Amino acid sequence: MDSLLQSIADFIARNAVWAGALLGAVTFMESLAVIGAFIPATGLLVAAGAMVATGTLDPMNVILGCVTGAVLGDAVSFWLGRRLGVKALRWPALVPHRRKLAWTRLYCRRYGFASIFIGRFFGPLRAFVPLMLGVLQMRNRTFQTGNVLSAFVWVLAMLAPGYLAAKGLARLEAMTEAHGPTLWVLGGAGAVVLIVLAMKGLKARAARRDPVLAGATRD
């Protein structure tokens, strides 16, 4: 998986003009029901943030592309849920996830509008929340408002670690005249470790505080 991510990131760097469209396609697929669980968008967005910091990619192109993809992906999943109702939950691809869907249904009923925002940041939830909110017949205007706002928050939050790490490395290199590639490797590894630890910490804290959220985010 790491080699695949690196290959995609290298391709995006070589085709900077199309970075927004390419990253948008990734976030679109990552936001689709079920399929999203297998798309490594988070790692790519961290890498894209670093490339924005170094001037390789245009920030507005990346942000607009990613937000558009995330909004459209959730909108499609929501529309399918509204259109098909409970029939959508009987898809063969969803059969292995019945337990998670049951928890997600409880989660969506409890948190309502807020579930759109929270779901963006938890991998297991992200693939099911829009579909479930559609099945529960949330008002379209309500969902789309949360969809657009949460997409901006999520994209900026995913880009930030790579961006800040790259900026910090550039300053450190200027101050210490250290070897650039070594700093990139150390800084990149540190950023990934911090992100993973932070997400695990948030997930564990949620599990302790709320059994419904814990069940919905359990892998």
Side-chain angles (χ1 to χ4, degrees):
M1 182 64 72
D2 291 339
S3 60
L4 175 60
L5 285 175
Q6 186 60 50
S7 298
I8 297 174
D10 290 342
F11 181 81
I12 291 173
R14 293 194 303 269
N15 298 272
V17 175
W18 297 98
L22 293 171
L23 289 168
V26 171
T27 56
F28 171 77
M29 291 186 291
E30 197 263 357
S31 300
L32 292 175
V34 183
I35 298 174
F38 305 98
I39 305 299
T42 300
L44 284 176
L45 290 183
V46 172
M51 287 187 276
V52 167
T54 59
T56 303
L57 302 181
D58 176 65
M60 292 306 298
N61 185 23
V62 169
I63 292 172
L64 290 178
C66 291
V67 169
T68 300
V71 168
L72 291 178
D74 273 16
V76 169
S77 296
F78 177 76
W79 177 81
L80 287 173
R82 280 181 63 91
R83 183 69 180 269
L84 299 177
V86 294
K87 293 180 181 179
L89 305 181
R90 301 187 187 124
W91 290 345
L94 292 176
V95 171
H97 305 284
R98 283 181 176 174
R99 182 180 178 82
K100 189 175 296 298
L101 286 168
W103 279 110
T104 302
R105 184 167 186 162
L106 289 173
Y107 158 81
C108 290
R109 285 188 178 279
R110 171 172 292 190
Y111 291 99
F113 182 78
S115 66
I116 306 171
F117 286 82
I118 301 172
R120 286 279 189 193
F121 292 89
F122 290 91
L125 276 175
R126 202 158 53 240
F128 300 108
V129 167
L131 178 71
M132 185 59 70
L133 289 174
V135 171
L136 294 175
Q137 300 298 305
M138 174 178 275
R139 290 181 59 188
N140 184 64
R141 180 180 298 178
T142 300
F143 175 80
Q144 298 304 342
T145 299
N147 183 20
V148 173
L149 294 177
S150 66
F152 271 103
V153 174
W154 177 70
V155 168
L156 293 177
M158 293 298 102
L159 292 173
Y163 180 88
L164 295 175
K167 285 294 186 182
L169 286 172
R171 291 179 181 178
L172 182 61
E173 184 178 11
M175 292 173 60
T176 65
E177 297 183 357
H179 191 255
T182 302
L183 288 174
W184 274 105
V185 172
L186 293 175
V192 171
V193 170
L194 288 175
I195 293 169
V196 172
L197 291 177
M199 292 303 294
K200 286 187 176 181
L202 288 173
K203 191 173 178 180
R205 187 175 181 182
R208 291 193 299 269
R209 292 190 172 188
D210 191 334
V212 173
L213 184 57
T217 57
R218 188 176 296 118
D219 292 326

